[in-house]
Each structure stands twice: as C-alpha cells, then as structure tokens.
Amino acid sequence: MRRKFIAGNWKMYKTMPEAIELVSELKRLLAMVRNVDVAVVPPALFVEPVAKRLAESNIGVGVQNIHDGGFGAFTGEISASMLPGLGIKYAVVAHSERRQYFGETDEGANRKVRALLDNGIIPILCIGETLAQREAGETFSVLAKQMAGGLKDLTAGQVAGMVLAYEPVWAIGTGVTAQPEQVAEVHSWLRNWLADRFDAGSAEQVIIQYGGSVKPSNAGELMRVPNVDGALVGGASLDAASFVAIVKSCV
Ligand code: PGA
C-alpha cells in the first residue's frame, strides 16, 4: 500500500526567520500525524537550519533543484554529491518553472535523477503539459516524452523508489485546479506507462503526486482520486494552517 506523500515547495519565498517560524509551527501541528509522509522543500539557503529544526520530527526536507554534475567549477551551483549528511531526503527535478525559465531538458533531468539516486536522495521528477499542448491533444505524447527522457537507463528497482509529480503547467500558481476526472485519467495512464516500460510490481510502488493549485478546499477530493499518492503543493504550503489542512485531508 502506497502511503500518501505531501511535499511543500516554497519556491523563492520566505526569509530565514520566516522559514524557521513556519517549520517550527509545522513540527508542532503535525507531531501526531503518522500515516502520511510529509516534506518541506525550502530554498537551498535555508535547508540546513530547517533540517536541524526538523531533526527527530516526522517531516522530511528536500531541495528545489541541483546541478546535474558531481563537483566542478560551476559558480553558484550545488550538486547531489553535496547533499548526503545534511538531513536532506528529496530533491525536486525539472519543475515546470525550471523547464520554462531555465531551459531544463529531459536529458538534464535524467542526469539529475541518476546523480540523486547515486547519492541516496529520492528524486521528485516533475512532468506536465501546457494548456496549448492539452488543447492540441498532445497531453499524452508530451508526458510520454518527459517520462522516457527523465527515466532513461534507470532500472525498475530505481524507478520503484522514486516520486513523480504530475503538474499540468496550466494549473500551477493559477488557481485553476485540474478536474478529478482529468487527474484520474493521467495518473492511471502514467501507472500503465510505468508498468509497460518497467514492470507492474515496480510501477505499483512509484509515488505519483498531483500538483497545481492544491489547497485545503480541493485536497480531500483530489487525494481520493485513484492513483493519486499525494501532492506537490506550492502556494498553499507557505502558510502552516493551509499546509496542515492539506496533510490532514489524507488522514
Ligand atoms: P501551486 O504550485 O500549488 O502554487 O500551484 C505547485 C508547484 O509548483 O509545485
């Protein structure tokens, strides 16, 4: 049985004092929640103090992006090789904002996924179509390309331990949430794609999150959709009460 996994992607928001205050509140409010996996994904600068504040809590910590290499002369970058030992469990890969504004490709995403797996960090690989692609009937060809590229050369065992986040680009930060029927259709298609490409047992283990304007008012309905194993939450994760309400919608 897959446990639900709710992750809060803070993007480029919060100051250090605000970050510490938010996770202190989350630690207190979620202390009794045991049957849902929860993580926060702060800006890289705050990851270490946040991880220290969350030590011995039931809340994991992730990073929003990494460089695809190991060590090297790449001013300003951080890599998967630097993450072990810092209390970091997850890393988001190829978020649509990275694809859109920073030119991330499926090939780059694949290098990042492999670097993370080599370093014992769980990748949260983001995929999703734009509105124009959906309207042109290209949703599944876009997703197939992103999946084939991002998961290239991985073993079934590696993929089984990963998280996928289906985030339709038109639903991110727009207030427009995909309808449960649309989410159901895509998530079951993704599960079948994984079973065909790898094997059914491994496909069953992959956590497939939905992301895009998840909020307390729609989380309960979305989390009951078959093959939805959790959520990648942006805006609603910046406030303790709304993030906690989303987590509790899974309980
Ligand atoms: P949103 O962002 O919840 O603000 O739409 C989701 C995401 O970018 O992961």
PDB file of all heavy atoms in Angstrom, residues 7 9 11 95-97 126 165 167 171-176 211-215 232-237, ligand 1:
ATOM      1  N   ALA A   7       4.295  17.160  -0.183  1.00  0.00           N
ATOM      2  CA  ALA A   7       5.508  17.976  -0.108  1.00  0.00           C
ATOM      3  C   ALA A   7       5.166  19.434  -0.394  1.00  0.00           C
ATOM      4  O   ALA A   7       4.368  19.730  -1.287  1.00  0.00           O
ATOM      5  CB  ALA A   7       6.549  17.471  -1.112  1.00  0.00           C
ATOM      6  N   ASN A   9       6.526  22.883  -1.713  1.00  0.00           N
ATOM      7  CA  ASN A   9       7.600  23.546  -2.468  1.00  0.00           C
ATOM      8  C   ASN A   9       7.474  25.049  -2.243  1.00  0.00           C
ATOM      9  O   ASN A   9       6.557  25.680  -2.768  1.00  0.00           O
ATOM     10  CB  ASN A   9       7.440  23.179  -3.951  1.00  0.00           C
ATOM     11  CG  ASN A   9       8.346  23.995  -4.853  1.00  0.00           C
ATOM     12  OD1 ASN A   9       9.287  24.644  -4.393  1.00  0.00           O
ATOM     13  ND2 ASN A   9       8.054  23.971  -6.140  1.00  0.00           N
ATOM     14  N   LYS A  11       9.371  27.434  -3.275  1.00  0.00           N
ATOM     15  CA  LYS A  11       9.886  28.282  -4.366  1.00  0.00           C
ATOM     16  C   LYS A  11      10.772  29.397  -3.773  1.00  0.00           C
ATOM     17  O   LYS A  11      11.426  29.174  -2.769  1.00  0.00           O
ATOM     18  CB  LYS A  11       8.727  28.828  -5.212  1.00  0.00           C
ATOM     19  CG  LYS A  11       7.767  27.710  -5.630  1.00  0.00           C
ATOM     20  CD  LYS A  11       6.794  28.100  -6.668  1.00  0.00           C
ATOM     21  CE  LYS A  11       5.911  26.895  -7.002  1.00  0.00           C
ATOM     22  NZ  LYS A  11       4.956  27.135  -8.052  1.00  0.00           N
ATOM     23  N   HIS A  95      11.112  20.863 -12.344  1.00  0.00           N
ATOM     24  CA  HIS A  95       9.845  21.572 -12.118  1.00  0.00           C
ATOM     25  C   HIS A  95       9.546  22.409 -13.359  1.00  0.00           C
ATOM     26  O   HIS A  95      10.459  22.881 -14.030  1.00  0.00           O
ATOM     27  CB  HIS A  95       9.995  22.473 -10.883  1.00  0.00           C
ATOM     28  CG  HIS A  95       8.708  23.117 -10.476  1.00  0.00           C
ATOM     29  ND1 HIS A  95       8.216  24.234 -11.105  1.00  0.00           N
ATOM     30  CD2 HIS A  95       7.810  22.782  -9.519  1.00  0.00           C
ATOM     31  CE1 HIS A  95       7.060  24.562 -10.543  1.00  0.00           C
ATOM     32  NE2 HIS A  95       6.787  23.695  -9.592  1.00  0.00           N
ATOM     33  N   SER A  96       8.288  22.617 -13.655  1.00  0.00           N
ATOM     34  CA  SER A  96       7.951  23.328 -14.912  1.00  0.00           C
ATOM     35  C   SER A  96       8.548  24.732 -14.940  1.00  0.00           C
ATOM     36  O   SER A  96       8.854  25.247 -16.018  1.00  0.00           O
ATOM     37  CB  SER A  96       6.443  23.390 -15.120  1.00  0.00           C
ATOM     38  OG  SER A  96       5.876  24.291 -14.212  1.00  0.00           O
ATOM     39  N   GLU A  97       8.726  25.339 -13.765  1.00  0.00           N
ATOM     40  CA  GLU A  97       9.369  26.669 -13.769  1.00  0.00           C
ATOM     41  C   GLU A  97      10.829  26.557 -14.189  1.00  0.00           C
ATOM     42  O   GLU A  97      11.367  27.451 -14.834  1.00  0.00           O
ATOM     43  CB  GLU A  97       9.236  27.316 -12.381  1.00  0.00           C
ATOM     44  CG  GLU A  97       7.800  27.768 -12.124  1.00  0.00           C
ATOM     45  CD  GLU A  97       7.384  27.745 -10.667  1.00  0.00           C
ATOM     46  OE1 GLU A  97       8.267  27.678  -9.776  1.00  0.00           O
ATOM     47  OE2 GLU A  97       6.169  27.800 -10.407  1.00  0.00           O
ATOM     48  N   CYS A 126       9.257  16.082 -11.975  1.00  0.00           N
ATOM     49  CA  CYS A 126       8.035  16.782 -12.378  1.00  0.00           C
ATOM     50  C   CYS A 126       7.800  16.658 -13.880  1.00  0.00           C
ATOM     51  O   CYS A 126       8.731  16.820 -14.678  1.00  0.00           O
ATOM     52  CB  CYS A 126       8.125  18.259 -12.034  1.00  0.00           C
ATOM     53  SG  CYS A 126       8.336  18.569 -10.279  1.00  0.00           S
ATOM     54  N   ALA A 165       5.797  13.753 -10.018  1.00  0.00           N
ATOM     55  CA  ALA A 165       4.781  14.769  -9.731  1.00  0.00           C
ATOM     56  C   ALA A 165       4.157  15.195 -11.048  1.00  0.00           C
ATOM     57  O   ALA A 165       4.837  15.793 -11.886  1.00  0.00           O
ATOM     58  CB  ALA A 165       5.394  15.959  -9.019  1.00  0.00           C
ATOM     59  N   GLU A 167       2.216  17.657 -12.820  1.00  0.00           N
ATOM     60  CA  GLU A 167       1.810  19.042 -12.598  1.00  0.00           C
ATOM     61  C   GLU A 167       1.458  19.689 -13.942  1.00  0.00           C
ATOM     62  O   GLU A 167       2.344  20.176 -14.651  1.00  0.00           O
ATOM     63  CB  GLU A 167       2.950  19.823 -11.950  1.00  0.00           C
ATOM     64  CG  GLU A 167       3.355  19.276 -10.596  1.00  0.00           C
ATOM     65  CD  GLU A 167       3.987  20.356  -9.729  1.00  0.00           C
ATOM     66  OE1 GLU A 167       4.985  20.956 -10.153  1.00  0.00           O
ATOM     67  OE2 GLU A 167       3.460  20.596  -8.636  1.00  0.00           O
ATOM     68  N   ALA A 171      -2.132  24.596 -14.407  1.00  0.00           N
ATOM     69  CA  ALA A 171      -2.743  24.590 -13.067  1.00  0.00           C
ATOM     70  C   ALA A 171      -1.792  25.115 -11.992  1.00  0.00           C
ATOM     71  O   ALA A 171      -2.175  25.252 -10.839  1.00  0.00           O
ATOM     72  CB  ALA A 171      -3.194  23.174 -12.717  1.00  0.00           C
ATOM     73  N   ILE A 172      -0.537  25.402 -12.372  1.00  0.00           N
ATOM     74  CA  ILE A 172       0.446  25.797 -11.359  1.00  0.00           C
ATOM     75  C   ILE A 172       0.357  27.291 -11.085  1.00  0.00           C
ATOM     76  O   ILE A 172       0.561  28.112 -11.969  1.00  0.00           O
ATOM     77  CB  ILE A 172       1.876  25.430 -11.812  1.00  0.00           C
ATOM     78  CG1 ILE A 172       1.999  23.918 -11.980  1.00  0.00           C
ATOM     79  CG2 ILE A 172       2.895  25.942 -10.808  1.00  0.00           C
ATOM     80  CD1 ILE A 172       3.355  23.467 -12.479  1.00  0.00           C
ATOM     81  N   GLY A 173       0.036  27.611  -9.833  1.00  0.00           N
ATOM     82  CA  GLY A 173       0.004  29.006  -9.413  1.00  0.00           C
ATOM     83  C   GLY A 173      -1.101  29.822 -10.060  1.00  0.00           C
ATOM     84  O   GLY A 173      -1.117  31.042  -9.972  1.00  0.00           O
ATOM     85  N   THR A 174      -2.035  29.153 -10.715  1.00  0.00           N
ATOM     86  CA  THR A 174      -3.083  29.874 -11.452  1.00  0.00           C
ATOM     87  C   THR A 174      -4.404  29.894 -10.698  1.00  0.00           C
ATOM     88  O   THR A 174      -5.306  30.640 -11.053  1.00  0.00           O
ATOM     89  CB  THR A 174      -3.348  29.191 -12.806  1.00  0.00           C
ATOM     90  OG1 THR A 174      -3.698  27.820 -12.550  1.00  0.00           O
ATOM     91  CG2 THR A 174      -2.126  29.241 -13.702  1.00  0.00           C
ATOM     92  N   GLY A 175      -4.520  29.066  -9.679  1.00  0.00           N
ATOM     93  CA  GLY A 175      -5.802  28.925  -9.002  1.00  0.00           C
ATOM     94  C   GLY A 175      -6.721  27.950  -9.731  1.00  0.00           C
ATOM     95  O   GLY A 175      -7.752  27.553  -9.215  1.00  0.00           O
ATOM     96  N   VAL A 176      -6.359  27.568 -10.956  1.00  0.00           N
ATOM     97  CA  VAL A 176      -7.154  26.592 -11.719  1.00  0.00           C
ATOM     98  C   VAL A 176      -6.626  25.207 -11.390  1.00  0.00           C
ATOM     99  O   VAL A 176      -5.457  24.914 -11.639  1.00  0.00           O
ATOM    100  CB  VAL A 176      -7.001  26.815 -13.243  1.00  0.00           C
ATOM    101  CG1 VAL A 176      -7.822  25.792 -14.022  1.00  0.00           C
ATOM    102  CG2 VAL A 176      -7.384  28.228 -13.611  1.00  0.00           C
ATOM    103  N   GLY A 211       0.131  17.963  -8.651  1.00  0.00           N
ATOM    104  CA  GLY A 211       0.458  19.329  -8.232  1.00  0.00           C
ATOM    105  C   GLY A 211      -0.184  20.336  -9.153  1.00  0.00           C
ATOM    106  O   GLY A 211      -0.339  20.091 -10.361  1.00  0.00           O
ATOM    107  N   GLY A 212      -0.533  21.481  -8.583  1.00  0.00           N
ATOM    108  CA  GLY A 212      -1.153  22.550  -9.360  1.00  0.00           C
ATOM    109  C   GLY A 212      -2.367  23.082  -8.623  1.00  0.00           C
ATOM    110  O   GLY A 212      -3.434  22.479  -8.672  1.00  0.00           O
ATOM    111  N   SER A 213      -2.147  24.183  -7.879  1.00  0.00           N
ATOM    112  CA  SER A 213      -3.227  24.845  -7.143  1.00  0.00           C
ATOM    113  C   SER A 213      -3.954  23.910  -6.172  1.00  0.00           C
ATOM    114  O   SER A 213      -5.173  24.006  -6.004  1.00  0.00           O
ATOM    115  CB  SER A 213      -4.215  25.520  -8.098  1.00  0.00           C
ATOM    116  OG  SER A 213      -3.551  26.507  -8.873  1.00  0.00           O
ATOM    117  N   VAL A 214      -3.193  23.014  -5.528  1.00  0.00           N
ATOM    118  CA  VAL A 214      -3.790  22.202  -4.461  1.00  0.00           C
ATOM    119  C   VAL A 214      -3.975  23.103  -3.242  1.00  0.00           C
ATOM    120  O   VAL A 214      -3.072  23.846  -2.867  1.00  0.00           O
ATOM    121  CB  VAL A 214      -2.891  20.994  -4.092  1.00  0.00           C
ATOM    122  CG1 VAL A 214      -3.474  20.230  -2.903  1.00  0.00           C
ATOM    123  CG2 VAL A 214      -2.731  20.071  -5.293  1.00  0.00           C
ATOM    124  N   LYS A 215      -5.150  23.071  -2.665  1.00  0.00           N
ATOM    125  CA  LYS A 215      -5.457  23.890  -1.497  1.00  0.00           C
ATOM    126  C   LYS A 215      -6.380  23.108  -0.573  1.00  0.00           C
ATOM    127  O   LYS A 215      -6.903  22.054  -0.975  1.00  0.00           O
ATOM    128  CB  LYS A 215      -6.062  25.232  -1.924  1.00  0.00           C
ATOM    129  CG  LYS A 215      -7.048  25.150  -3.052  1.00  0.00           C
ATOM    130  CD  LYS A 215      -7.253  26.502  -3.736  1.00  0.00           C
ATOM    131  CE  LYS A 215      -8.129  26.275  -4.962  1.00  0.00           C
ATOM    132  NZ  LYS A 215      -7.937  27.168  -6.026  1.00  0.00           N
ATOM    133  N   LEU A 232       2.206  17.751  -4.587  1.00  0.00           N
ATOM    134  CA  LEU A 232       3.289  18.719  -4.516  1.00  0.00           C
ATOM    135  C   LEU A 232       2.594  20.076  -4.469  1.00  0.00           C
ATOM    136  O   LEU A 232       1.903  20.454  -5.403  1.00  0.00           O
ATOM    137  CB  LEU A 232       4.211  18.588  -5.737  1.00  0.00           C
ATOM    138  CG  LEU A 232       5.471  19.459  -5.750  1.00  0.00           C
ATOM    139  CD1 LEU A 232       6.335  19.238  -4.512  1.00  0.00           C
ATOM    140  CD2 LEU A 232       6.300  19.181  -7.004  1.00  0.00           C
ATOM    141  N   VAL A 233       2.767  20.753  -3.342  1.00  0.00           N
ATOM    142  CA  VAL A 233       1.980  21.954  -3.048  1.00  0.00           C
ATOM    143  C   VAL A 233       2.886  23.174  -3.110  1.00  0.00           C
ATOM    144  O   VAL A 233       3.939  23.194  -2.457  1.00  0.00           O
ATOM    145  CB  VAL A 233       1.358  21.840  -1.638  1.00  0.00           C
ATOM    146  CG1 VAL A 233       0.440  23.026  -1.367  1.00  0.00           C
ATOM    147  CG2 VAL A 233       0.613  20.521  -1.462  1.00  0.00           C
ATOM    148  N   GLY A 234       2.500  24.183  -3.853  1.00  0.00           N
ATOM    149  CA  GLY A 234       3.275  25.415  -3.911  1.00  0.00           C
ATOM    150  C   GLY A 234       2.711  26.445  -2.953  1.00  0.00           C
ATOM    151  O   GLY A 234       2.954  26.403  -1.744  1.00  0.00           O
ATOM    152  N   GLY A 235       1.915  27.362  -3.484  1.00  0.00           N
ATOM    153  CA  GLY A 235       1.412  28.498  -2.707  1.00  0.00           C
ATOM    154  C   GLY A 235       0.815  28.123  -1.352  1.00  0.00           C
ATOM    155  O   GLY A 235       1.112  28.777  -0.339  1.00  0.00           O
ATOM    156  N   ALA A 236       0.012  27.063  -1.314  1.00  0.00           N
ATOM    157  CA  ALA A 236      -0.666  26.712  -0.059  1.00  0.00           C
ATOM    158  C   ALA A 236       0.281  26.085   0.971  1.00  0.00           C
ATOM    159  O   ALA A 236      -0.122  25.814   2.097  1.00  0.00           O
ATOM    160  CB  ALA A 236      -1.838  25.774  -0.341  1.00  0.00           C
ATOM    161  N   SER A 237       1.551  25.876   0.588  1.00  0.00           N
ATOM    162  CA  SER A 237       2.490  25.333   1.576  1.00  0.00           C
ATOM    163  C   SER A 237       3.221  26.445   2.324  1.00  0.00           C
ATOM    164  O   SER A 237       4.006  26.180   3.239  1.00  0.00           O
ATOM    165  CB  SER A 237       3.524  24.423   0.892  1.00  0.00           C
ATOM    166  OG  SER A 237       4.459  25.173   0.140  1.00  0.00           O
TER     167      SER A 237
HETATM  168  P1  PGA B   1       0.927  25.767  -6.739  1.00  0.00           P
HETATM  169  O1  PGA B   1       2.364  25.238  -7.195  1.00  0.00           O
HETATM  170  O2  PGA B   1       0.423  24.836  -5.696  1.00  0.00           O
HETATM  171  O3  PGA B   1       1.182  27.156  -6.205  1.00  0.00           O
HETATM  172  O4  PGA B   1       0.063  25.766  -7.971  1.00  0.00           O
HETATM  173  C1  PGA B   1       2.587  23.867  -7.373  1.00  0.00           C
HETATM  174  C2  PGA B   1       4.013  23.625  -7.745  1.00  0.00           C
HETATM  175  O5  PGA B   1       4.596  24.475  -8.429  1.00  0.00           O
HETATM  176  O6  PGA B   1       4.592  22.600  -7.381  1.00  0.00           O
END
